[in-house]
Amino acid sequence: MHPAIRVQNVTKSFRLGTNSGRPNLTERLLGLVRKPRANPDNEFWALKGVSFDVTPGEVVGVVGRNGAGKSTLLKVLSRIVEPTAGRAELRGRVGSLLEVGTGFHPELTGRENVFLNGSVLGMSRREIAKNFDAIVAFAGVERFIDTPVKRYSSGMYVRLAFAVAAHLNPEIMIVDEVLAVGDAEFQNKCLGKMREVARGGRTVLFVSHNMTAVQSLCSRCVWLKDGTVHADGPAREVAEAYNRAAAGGGGAEVRLDAHPGRTLGSVRAMTRVRVCDDADGTSPAVPMGGTARVEVEFELDRPLADATLGVVVKDAYYSPIFGINNKVTPCPPQPGPLTAGTVVCRLPRLPLMPGVYPLDLYFGDRLNDFDTVHNAADLTVVAADVFGTGRLPPPNAGPVCWPATWEIRAARAPEGTTDGP
Ligand SMILES: Nc1ncnc2c1ncn2[C@@H]1O[C@H](COP(=O)(O)OP(=O)(O)OP(=O)(O)O)[C@@H](O)[C@H]1O
Ligand SMILES: [Mg+2]
């Protein structure tokens, strides 16, 4: 099968500080006082030999830090910028939605822009007219459809732009970070629409900083780093690796002496928490099914004979998933009364899906918790082949990963086995 998108060794350099080639007055004045840079051309390489293929119907997320080259790549694909070297080939009608409302004309009304944008995407007037009501309804801008779009809020702008791109049936849809601007309801609507587009067998390339959206929408993810492809693989894995890198490799160690999550009336006792993979004791990310270790250091002005720690693991929406403490689970006695020490909690066979889980900590004695810190630190869980099938449960089925055993029983003799020789 021919790829829908073929990116071959695409390289793009920008010349910094020279917009038109002819310096303006400020630049000329600066030129008088500034020493020439080491690199006389002052070239900036936004993309450095980027290559990948996308097969028709694939939904690919593109992630990376600010300035990694994501938008530049999409602009090359949409033919808005010329690559310096390499080539990009696309097969099929492309609908692209780059940054807020690119391709919209501010002086024109919403209605006029729908027609303009549609024809830019290669649609006939008839086709646009046929889809017009659906577009306006999806965008929810009925009342403002005859108002110039320069009067629209940025959210309304994006809603209309997205609605046009999504309804005009492009075979390849290129979307850059639009979801950030809409409200939660519209974001869901966009994700739903993109899922529909994807299910319809069309190809989607989707740039986002929202890893959950990338994980739930995309089958594959390309991670751009400093203008090169740093990783390219299953969306869940790449997004998790990206999350982990973004979280920093320094280990999930958090000071608690002045933590904003400490509740009112707490007596400050916990001073530090460290969350790590028990297998190596250093990695901040715990593989699914592995053992998480939560170490809480405490310091008190009076000796404590019975340190207790409660840990509540919460989901991305800060709802508790489970909680545990060393009163309900057996705990060996502590080595005498202590004014300082560490409580080590191990959570074996972690039944969690990949993700980042905030932890609440409750510290005290047998009778009560006197020091509570909400969202004290994050537990990061990364993908692992827990079932040995190379597959994970669907990403939107909640935070818990639970095994199952199966059996399929026959109601009668299986087909094709009754009339054998
Ligand atoms: N027209 C331009 N002239 C000079 N430099 C540019 C130009 N366009 C982009 N760049 C530079 O190229 C790099 C990549 O930019 P790009 O917009 O592709 O990043 P991005 O990955 O989309 O980032 P973000 O997450 O912030 O949207 C940046 O360092 C940017 O400053
Ligand atoms: Mg960008």
Side-chain angles (χ1 to χ4, degrees), residues 12-19 44-47 62-75 81 99 176-177 207-209 224 227 242:
K12 177 69 192 172
S13 78
F14 290 111
R15 212 149 275 184
L16 296 182
T18 53
N19 325 327
F44 180 84
W45 297 87
L47 295 173
V62 179
V63 304
R65 295 177 54 166
N66 296 128
K70 305 179 296 295
S71 298
T72 307
L73 174 66
L74 297 201
K75 283 176 190 158
V81 308
E99 285 153 9
D176 191 352
E177 199 66 275
V207 164
S208 182
H209 289 282
L224 285 186
Y242 178 75

Side-chain angles (χ1 to χ4, degrees), residues 85-376:
R87 43 198 260 153
E89 288 169 26
L90 290 94
R91 292 175 150 259
R93 187 160 64 195
V94 181
S96 56
L97 187 54
L98 306 179
E99 285 153 9
V100 180
T102 316
F104 267 38
H105 196 297
E107 300 295 335
L108 299 182
T109 65
R111 181 187 303 275
E112 290 161 337
N113 269 302
V114 169
F115 279 92
L116 178 71
N117 212 237
S119 57
V120 169
L121 289 175
M123 310 294 297
S124 69
R125 260 197 94 76
R126 260 181 91 133
E127 277 176 288
I128 303 167
K130 205 182 96 209
N131 282 291
F132 186 81
D133 290 343
I135 292 170
V136 176
F138 184 88
V141 296
E142 292 92 337
R143 282 181 55 209
F144 307 95
I145 195 63
D146 291 310
T147 305
V149 297
K150 66 178 177 190
R151 307 222 187 287
Y152 283 20
S153 71
S154 52
M156 288 162 63
Y157 216 90
V158 168
R159 292 165 86 107
L160 191 60
F162 186 90
V164 174
H167 280 85
L168 297 183
N169 294 324
E171 287 149 296
I172 302 177
M173 194 163 166
I174 297 182
V175 181
D176 191 352
E177 199 66 275
V178 280
L179 300 172
V181 191
D183 54 31
E185 184 215 330
F186 187 69
Q187 288 188 12
N188 279 334
K189 225 160 139 182
C190 289
L191 287 173
K193 188 71 199 175
M194 282 171 68
R195 208 165 275 136
E196 198 184 303
V197 168
R199 278 211 203 99
R202 280 166 288 166
T203 312
V204 180
L205 207 64
F206 170 49
V207 164
S208 182
H209 289 282
N210 178 341
M211 289 307 126
T212 319
V214 168
Q215 289 191 340
S216 75
L217 201 66
C218 305
S219 52
R220 176 180 157 200
C221 181
V222 173
W223 173 1
L224 285 186
K225 190 172 177 181
D226 299 329
T228 63
V229 176
H230 182 68
D232 180 352
R236 299 198 59 76
E237 279 166 38
V238 175
E240 275 315 316
Y242 178 75
N243 271 342
R244 222 180 323 158
E253 183 163 330
V254 179
R255 293 183 64 113
L256 297 177
D257 25 22
H259 195 287
R262 176 165 277 113
T263 56
L264 213 64
S266 275
V267 175
R268 208 163 7 153
M270 293 184 283
T271 55
R272 192 187 291 270
V273 57
R274 210 166 76 88
V275 183
C276 65
D277 179 7
D278 192 51
D280 65 4
T282 54
S283 167
V286 185
M288 296 171 72
T291 300
R293 193 200 298 173
V294 181
E295 297 176 358
V296 173
E297 290 174 25
F298 61 91
E299 239 180 277
L300 299 148
D301 40 19
R302 262 183 293 170
L304 184 65
D306 47 3
T308 66
L309 178 70
V311 178
V312 174
V313 178
K314 301 193 294 187
D315 68 13
Y317 307 99
Y318 300 100
S319 301
I321 303 170
F322 68 90
I324 196 70
N325 63 51
N326 60 339
K327 289 182 275 189
V328 302
T329 39
C331 173
Q334 67 178 59
L338 298 170
T339 52
T342 306
V343 182
V344 180
C345 164
R346 287 189 176 84
L347 303 169
R349 295 189 302 277
L350 212 58
L352 295 176
M353 293 291 288
V356 176
Y357 299 89
L359 302 180
D360 290 347
L361 300 177
Y362 296 85
F363 183 85
D365 56 27
R366 287 269 140 199
L367 294 175
N368 61 348
D369 306 315
F370 48 78
D371 189 13
T372 300
V373 178
H374 288 145
N375 310 321

